[in-house]
Structure formats: C-alpha cells, structure tokens
Amino acid sequence: MATVNKNPETTSQPKSRKGRVALYVLVLFILILAAVFAYNYSFIKGQLGIGTAYGARVACSCHYIGGRDLTDCEKDFEPGMEVISLSLDDEKRRVTASVPLLASATAEFREGWGCVILPEAEAD
C-alpha cells in the first residue's frame, strides 16, 4: 500500500522558497545592471557618438570613394563596433551609422571634399 503524505505543503515549500530566492537574485541583478548603466550613461553615449561618426565616415569613404558594397565596408570596422548598423541614401550620397535610441551620425560624399560628417540639423 502507498503511503500518503498528510501535509503536502512540506514537500512543495522548499521548491517555492528556492524559486522565490532565485527570483529575488534575478531582480537584484537586473537592478544592479540598470544602476551601472545609468551611472555610466553619459560615457556610453559619448563613446557611441564617436563610434557612429567613425563608422559613418569610414563606410561613406569605402562606398563612394572605394566603390565597395556597404556590407563589405563593415569589414573595415574596429572590433567592438558590431552594434553599429549602417544605412545608405544613394540619392543624397549619404551613409548613416546608428545605434538605436542612443546615437546616430551621417556622412555625406561631396565632390572635391570626400566624405564629411554632417551636423545633426543638416543630417535630417
């Protein structure tokens, strides 16, 4: 005959307690991560601004002066620039490098000048 556990809460309690502790640890980790990001936000935004300007300029020169495809130009990026995405505007001869919600820069090819970084007001 099978034994019946008269108090089912005693067997499930350690599992739920472990689950709650794991949830608290996860929430604490996310809060610490958010605090570190908030503390370093201006530094991160500045570095991304430099990276997008560099990426736009290099990709513009590679595409309009070197005659290479934009996807091939991404090979010229430095390590760590994988988060930067490129978009091309052939009509205006511009390349825009961006990191969504954080930074963006546009470079335009000008005959006799090469590729120049545009100010934000002119890039729109």
Side-chain angles (χ1 to χ4, degrees), residues 9 11 20-25 28 30 43 46 48 74-78 80 85 119:
E9 293 178 11
T11 58
R20 251 187 277 144
V21 169
L23 180 64
Y24 291 146
V25 169
L28 181 63
I30 291 171
F43 175 76
L48 288 175
E74 290 179 356
K75 295 176 187 174
D76 296 341
F77 282 4
E78 296 294 321
S85 61

Side-chain angles (χ1 to χ4, degrees), residues 54-92:
Y54 174 81
R57 170 69 169 71
V58 166
C60 178
S61 297
C62 171
H63 183 72
Y64 290 109
I65 297 172
R68 293 168 45 201
D69 188 45
L70 199 59
T71 55
D72 188 46
C73 295
E74 290 179 356
K75 295 176 187 174
D76 296 341
F77 282 4
E78 296 294 321
M81 293 182 64
E82 293 83 14
V83 297
I84 297 174
S85 61
L86 299 174
S87 62
L88 186 65
D89 183 357
D90 271 329
E91 187 177 307
K92 296 180 180 179

Side-chain angles (χ1 to χ4, degrees), residues 111-124:
E111 201 63 48
W113 291 95
C115 289
V116 295
I117 300 293
L118 299 177
E120 284 185 33
E122 198 176 322
D124 295 332

Side-chain angles (χ1 to χ4, degrees), residues 6-26:
K6 293 181 181 180
N7 192 356
E9 293 178 11
T10 59
T11 58
S12 66
Q13 192 174 24
K15 290 180 183 178
S16 66
R17 187 176 297 157
K18 286 181 183 178
R20 251 187 277 144
V21 169
L23 180 64
Y24 291 146
V25 169
L26 179 66

